[in-house]
Amino acid sequence: MTDEHQTLGSLMRSLRKRNGWTLKQMSAESGIPVSTLSKVEHDRLTLTYDKLLQLSQRLGIRLSELFAEPEARDERSITARRSIGRLDRAVRVTTDNYDYYYMCPELRNKRMIPIVTTIRARTVEEFGKLVRHSGEEYIHVIEGSIVVHTEFYDSVTLEKGEGIYIDSDMGHAYVVAEGCDEAHVLGICASREQDFAKSLMTIHGEDAPDHEPAPNG
């Protein structure tokens, strides 16, 4: 692999070596345990969003460097990358309406962002202001049923096994359908926006969500 296809682990290792630090010194500078740094460098563990924030602040690097979008390159190039999506390795972002699990976070420069989401909001009034962001997205219902509200269309109910593809710049909200306590969906978001993953994670602006490690298992 070349530096063009760096993972978070290879980025961390390069950063440490560039500063001439041992893992112990890197730990002292960043406030992250040596064992955690070692696992991250070997792509056996990722960092939660709050730890990435801590890392960028303590080491004086831009958070965008950790969520950088790809540079323009030959579309025919083969990256040969792969990542197994597991909830215990996901970056979890919790809001009043949703629990987001950002999958495969160890892969940088992703062209699409896979997100497993638990939906709790029951009505669009409870949900609040419609969400909008750059790009397009596909949402597929894994468990339960949801109602999709969009800016320019009537609401539509989706059952388990059904999905919807939308323009994400259009205001939208996903809430659970009547009789359903919560629903689980898989979403795929794609955009050419720089720092797209970071933008998605901070989309609630002043109502910044809590950032927690994903549960084990």
Side-chain angles (χ1 to χ4, degrees):
M1 289 290 176
T2 66
D3 288 343
E4 185 181 19
H5 311 306
Q6 284 185 327
T7 64
L8 177 60
S10 62
L11 174 73
M12 296 278 286
R13 187 164 52 251
S14 297
L15 178 63
R16 178 172 62 82
K17 290 183 176 180
R18 188 165 67 243
N19 286 280
W21 292 334
T22 63
L23 277 172
K24 186 175 181 180
Q25 290 171 318
M26 179 80 155
S27 175
E29 294 290 337
S30 65
I32 297 173
V34 171
S35 59
T36 299
L37 290 175
S38 178
K39 290 176 182 178
V40 171
E41 284 196 7
H42 289 88
D43 293 321
R44 295 197 298 267
L45 184 71
T46 188
L47 294 175
T48 56
Y49 185 81
D50 59 332
K51 290 299 183 184
L52 292 172
L53 277 175
Q54 175 182 323
L55 186 71
S56 69
Q57 293 167 356
R58 294 281 291 267
L59 299 186
I61 60 176
R62 295 191 305 272
L63 184 62
S64 60
E65 294 181 39
L66 304 176
F67 293 109
E69 292 300 304
E71 300 293 335
R73 61 174 181 261
D74 187 347
E75 293 294 332
R76 296 169 297 178
S77 64
I78 300 175
T79 67
R81 298 193 303 171
R82 79 167 203 172
S83 174
I84 305 300
R86 292 175 47 180
L87 287 182
D88 62 345
R89 293 185 178 179
V91 172
R92 178 179 176 179
V93 177
T94 300
T95 75
D96 291 339
N97 295 315
Y98 300 146
D99 282 345
Y100 298 97
Y101 296 85
Y102 286 80
M103 308 302 292
C104 308
E106 72 276 9
L107 292 184
R108 301 179 69 243
N109 302 336
K110 292 192 290 291
R111 297 184 181 183
M112 59 184 181
I113 310 297
I115 311 167
V116 174
T117 304
T118 299
I119 299 174
R120 292 186 299 273
R122 297 180 181 277
T123 66
V124 70
E125 290 77 19
E126 177 184 336
F127 182 91
K129 186 178 179 180
L130 297 181
V131 171
R132 50 171 53 83
H133 54 83
S134 67
E136 300 176 330
E137 64 190 79
Y138 175 76
I139 299 294
H140 194 87
V141 182
I142 301 172
E143 291 291 344
S145 56
I146 67 173
V147 179
V148 181
H149 296 269
T150 52
E151 188 173 5
F152 303 117
Y153 296 89
D154 292 336
S155 61
V156 59
T157 300
L158 298 180
E159 304 293 341
K160 178 180 178 180
E162 297 180 324
I164 189 169
Y165 191 110
I166 67 169
D167 172 1
S168 305
D169 282 296
M170 173 176 60
H172 56 282
Y174 306 116
V175 302
V176 294
E178 186 175 354
C180 183
D181 291 329
E182 65 178 28
H184 303 278
V185 303
L186 171 64
I188 305 294
C189 298
S191 171
R192 296 183 180 275
E193 178 186 344
Q194 291 294 316
D195 304 331
F196 183 48
K198 175 188 173 185
S199 176
L200 285 177
M201 289 184 183
T202 58
I203 198 169
H204 294 269
E206 293 180 355
D207 297 322
D210 296 327
H211 308 288
E212 306 174 1
N216 293 326

